[in-house]
Amino acid sequence: INVLIFQATWWGILLLKSNGNEALLYFWGLLGIFLQSAAIGTARFSRVVVWLAVGLIGWGLDLLLALTPILKFNPGDETTWLLLVWVIFVSTLNHSLAYFRNRRVLAGLGGAIFGPASYAVAGAWNIMGYTRDPIWLACHAGIWGFVFIAALEITHYGEKKWSI
């Protein structure tokens, strides 16, 4: 159910963003995070703090990538919706995506393929600009290969160390 909540939340956020429905977008994202926490079995505050911390790192990375030709946001467009996407993604790392934790090569390949693919969908829906240049795509794939492995490790360590 973890991956289904993630998919419903991710697609819903993109759909609402593409239609300009900001208020409902944030409600939908927060509802998804709440449901994800409930579906996992315990709504531990420490778990959500870890999700938020790793989500903030990912969001910060996206903001840095916006300084490159990889990502472009529309002028005046706020980007906090991406934080919701990151948090809901991070919520899957110790559950439906935990399979990849001890399979770093497979995790790197999965991150390199599916990370950039999700941005390509957002680009195709005109939610953000996304590069089509093969060199920058390769750079983004490499970054995502590393990011996925790092996010798996940080989330696993954080939830284990700070569980309350």
Side-chain angles (χ1 to χ4, degrees):
I1 193 158
N2 176 259
V3 74
L4 296 176
I5 294 170
F6 164 71
Q7 288 294 324
T9 305
W10 184 78
W11 284 105
I13 287 172
L14 290 184
L15 180 64
L16 292 166
K17 178 68 178 165
S18 70
N19 290 324
N21 196 335
E22 302 289 325
L24 192 53
L25 175 153
Y26 290 102
F27 171 78
W28 187 257
L30 291 171
L31 177 64
I33 292 166
F34 172 78
L35 290 174
Q36 196 72 294
S37 184
I40 290 169
T42 59
R44 292 194 319 240
F45 178 72
S46 59
R47 173 177 286 146
V48 177
V49 169
V50 170
W51 294 353
L52 182 59
V54 178
L56 284 167
I57 293 168
W59 184 42
L61 176 64
D62 281 346
L63 296 177
L64 286 174
L65 288 174
L67 300 174
T68 73
I70 295 173
L71 298 179
K72 293 296 175 208
F73 298 105
N74 298 323
D77 197 10
E78 58 80 30
T79 61
T80 53
W81 63 274
L82 265 173
L83 177 58
L84 291 173
V85 172
W86 268 99
V87 171
I88 199 71
F89 166 69
V90 170
S91 72
T92 65
L93 296 177
N94 275 343
H95 306 284
S96 58
L97 296 177
Y99 170 83
F100 291 102
R101 188 176 316 121
N102 296 318
R103 296 168 178 86
R104 288 194 173 98
V105 171
L106 191 56
L109 289 172
I113 294 167
F114 295 107
S118 65
Y119 290 86
V121 169
W125 286 12
N126 295 317
I127 296 170
M128 68 171 66
Y130 187 67
T131 188
R132 293 176 190 227
D133 182 286
I135 294 172
W136 285 108
L137 285 172
C139 289
H140 198 214
I143 290 167
W144 253 96
F146 171 77
V147 163
F148 185 52
I149 294 168
L152 281 165
E153 293 300 321
I154 294 168
T155 304
H156 176 68
Y157 176 79
E159 283 192 25
K160 191 174 182 179
K161 179 163 178 67
W162 292 297
S163 64
I164 296 173

